[in-house]
Structures are given as C-alpha cells and as structure tokens.
Amino acid sequence: YFQLVDEGKLLDIRSYDAAENVPQASLDAYTYHDVCYGIPQGNAYSALYLNMAILEQAGWTEAPKDWDEFIQCCRDLQEKTDTGVITVAGNPVTTTPGWMPFEAILLNAYPDELGGGKFEELSKKGELNLTDYPKAIERFDELASYMMTGSSQNGDDDVIAIMTDGQCAMAIAGNWMAASIVGGIEEYNGGDPAKARMTPIPFNDPGKTVYIASTPESAIGLAKVDDPNVAEARDIFFNWMFEPEHFKYLQNACGTFPVLTNMTSDQLVFPEAVKVFKTEADSCSPFFMTFNEYTANVLAEGLSLFDDVFSGNMDAQTAFEKLTEQLKADPFGEG
C-alpha cells in the first residue's frame, strides 16, 4: 500500500462523505505520507472464547479473571474433562492469532515496563530483548503445557470447527471471528447462548488491569481510475457502503465492532457474548497488535518457535532468545 501511495495510485479518502463519521485515530492508522488511503471496517481485538458447558464440568461457572485463575482453570479442565484445554490458530498462513498468546503474556506480565506504547517503540527500534522478561518466559512454558495438540497447524476454520464440535474448552482468536466461534459454541450446546463466553485474555496479574491487543481492522480504499464513469459509480458506492443502514450488514456478518460513530443501537446486532466482551474490552488498557507490522521473516520465525514450544521440542527461554535475534536482525519497516 505504501508503494501504491508513493506511485500516486491511491486516493486520499478524507474528502469523501464516508470519512465524516470515522474517528481521527482510525483514519490516522491508514495514513501514509499525508495520504489517508483507507477506512478500516472496525476495531480488532484479541479475545478468549470459552465453552462454559465444558468449564462447568471442571467446576467453573465464571470465566477466569486473571493469570492465576486461568492456570487453575486449565489444571481443572485437564484433570476433570476429556476435551482439549485451549487452542489457537497457529498456522503460518493464518499468522495473526498465533502471535496473540505471546503478546498477551508479555504485556500483561510486564505492564509497567512495556505498556503505554513502550513495547511498540522497543520493537520498532530493534531493542526488544525478550530475555529481559523471565516471568513472561515462565508463563509461556506454562501455557504450552495446556495447549491442545496440533494447535500450531490450525487455521481459523479449524478453530471454528474444534469449538463447534466441543473438542476444546477455550480458544484464543480475534474478535473478527466472534460470530463464527460464538455461534459454534452455541450450536454445540443446543443453541444455548449462555454457554458461549468471550472475554479479554485474562493473562493479567491478580488485581491488575488487563492489557488487550487493539488495532484498526483491514481498510477499504480507492484506486485512481481513468474512466470518469467508473470513478463516479465507484465513489457513489463507496459513500453508500459507509452509511450506517448499509454498513450494518458488514458489521453484523462478522460480529465485530464498527468504526462508524453514527450507528444507532438498533443497527448494532451482536451475539450476547460479544456484547459482554465489548463492555469488558472498553475498560482494558489497549496496546497495538505489533505483529501486524513485523516483516514476513519475523512472522514466520516466531510462529515456528511457538510451534516448537507448544509441541515440547523447545523451551520458551530458547525460543525467546532466538526470536530476540530475529527481531534485532529484521526490525520494523516504515509502517
């Protein structure tokens, strides 16, 4: 996209009616060299999905609220149920969800040291030394002991199928998968919405605020075209699509949180579990999904290392050392 902006092939959409009811921060997220080249569909968050019917078998009627409760819940699930404990889409093709456990552990184990944009800043400068955070290393090893076998090869569809079939009690995934995963859990439980739960990943220390990954989602932009008739038709559709009464169909299909500020409550149709999550997420401390700006080499290396830890072929200390080397050798680009 940056190359297309530099070549003058993308339009600045700030002059369009579609941009009038979009927060400035969302426009800024897709601005490069003073060209706003897209409007994001909404805001992306990382989340923990829970099949409460399975948790109830292990004695849990509420979702865990912090790291200590989460680990105890994992122990209970492992001892008292026949299902997997937790899964994630760690497939290298999927990329994004596989990084969520790592960043959630790191930021919540060291909120003072890495919160408030410090994590992003250190990463971009190539100065993030992961071995400086032993508590995060310990917790990553602990999480690995409960990760469902095969999770590192899952794609998004695999996670949806696993949760729909009741093969696993919990899953880490983005909120853009909410409609599918929540719907799958409800389907497994005979359509009961009370059995599907969605919460910010509770990797925080007891009594501490949850740090949650939050980033504008994929954006929709406009390319310059030579045919004025095509341009006119395209511009009309672009503005039409971002009117609340039309944009709601995109939002409702995904179960995500829309970027538009002028949507009314009757236009926002969320599953009950998503409504609860939205309320909880609003009280969390956000951090940018930094993996969205890692190079392809870093993304691939990280997922390979996480796979080794989850499968028992490597400890987290070694994985964090190797990932530190990769991050320093291949720092972020201009984005």
Side-chain angles (χ1 to χ4, degrees):
Y1 292 113
F2 294 163
Q3 181 180 342
L4 292 173
V5 170
D6 288 337
E7 294 173 354
K9 295 180 179 178
L10 296 184
L11 297 176
D12 191 324
I13 52 79
R14 285 175 293 193
S15 62
Y16 284 79
D17 293 343
E20 291 183 357
N21 296 295
V22 178
Q24 187 61 46
S26 296
L27 298 177
D28 290 345
Y30 285 92
T31 296
Y32 171 72
H33 285 180
D34 200 34
V35 175
C36 181
Y37 58 91
I39 298 177
Q41 304 169 46
N43 291 318
Y45 295 90
S46 54
L48 179 69
Y49 295 85
L50 308 99
N51 185 328
M52 293 307 300
I54 299 177
L55 264 71
E56 287 167 7
Q57 296 174 28
W60 288 77
T61 58
E62 298 289 338
K65 298 294 192 297
D66 54 49
W67 177 260
D68 290 350
E69 288 192 5
F70 170 77
I71 290 300
Q72 185 59 55
C73 182
C74 287
R75 289 195 194 101
D76 292 339
L77 285 164
Q78 195 173 69
E79 294 172 1
K80 301 176 183 179
T81 71
D82 296 326
T83 62
V85 175
I86 187 166
T87 191
V88 68
N91 188 297
V93 176
T94 306
T95 300
T96 299
W99 279 83
M100 288 180 179
F102 165 76
E103 291 199 345
I105 284 178
L106 196 60
L107 266 293
N108 281 287
Y110 291 92
D112 296 333
E113 295 85 345
L114 297 174
K118 298 172 188 174
F119 171 59
E120 297 93 315
E121 182 180 355
L122 289 171
S123 297
K124 289 183 178 182
K125 290 181 177 179
E127 298 176 357
L128 184 64
N129 189 343
L130 297 174
T131 58
D132 289 341
Y133 308 102
K135 185 163 70 172
I137 294 173
E138 179 184 344
R139 290 184 175 183
F140 201 81
D141 273 328
E142 203 165 6
L143 174 67
S145 65
Y146 298 107
M147 188 64 66
M148 185 179 182
T149 301
S151 292
S152 57
Q153 298 306 311
N154 285 342
D156 289 344
D157 289 343
D158 296 314
V159 171
I160 293 168
I162 286 168
M163 298 305 289
T164 302
D165 294 341
Q167 298 177 43
C168 197
M170 299 183 287
I172 291 176
N175 69 309
W176 55 89
M177 294 171 63
S180 298
I181 295 181
V182 168
I185 296 173
E186 291 179 1
E187 179 181 331
Y188 174 77
N189 289 291
D192 186 355
K195 300 303 182 184
R197 185 80 164 83
M198 179 182 176
T199 185
I201 303 174
F203 287 176
N204 53 304
D205 286 332
K208 298 291 186 179
T209 300
V210 176
Y211 270 73
I212 186 173
S214 174
T215 300
E217 289 184 323
S218 301
I220 302 170
L222 300 173
K224 290 183 179 179
V225 293
D226 295 329
D227 189 327
N229 293 320
V230 172
E232 181 182 10
R234 186 271 318 277
D235 291 352
I236 290 172
F237 176 73
F238 186 72
N239 283 321
W240 176 90
M241 181 171 55
F242 280 96
E243 293 172 358
E245 60 269 31
H246 307 138
F247 188 76
K248 68 179 182 182
Y249 294 109
L250 177 60
Q251 180 270 316
N252 295 347
C254 299
T256 55
F257 309 139
V259 70
L260 297 183
T261 59
N262 59 336
M263 293 188 76
T264 59
S265 58
D266 62 306
Q267 292 168 335
L268 299 174
V269 180
F270 294 125
E272 188 60 35
V274 180
K275 293 179 183 177
V276 175
F277 173 81
K278 179 65 166 67
T279 300
E280 294 179 346
D282 286 343
S283 65
C284 295
S285 294
F287 68 91
F288 186 71
M289 289 181 182
T290 309
F291 51 73
N292 280 332
E293 295 192 1
Y294 291 149
T295 64
N297 289 336
V298 170
L299 288 173
E301 176 70 4
L303 289 173
S304 176
L305 292 170
F306 302 155
D307 180 9
D308 282 338
V309 178
F310 290 153
S311 59
N313 296 325
M314 183 183 294
D315 59 30
Q317 175 72 31
T318 304
F320 277 39
E321 290 173 358
K322 290 180 177 294
L323 186 54
T324 295
E325 293 174 2
Q326 185 67 51
L327 286 167
K328 290 184 176 181
D330 200 8
F332 282 8
E334 190 170 351

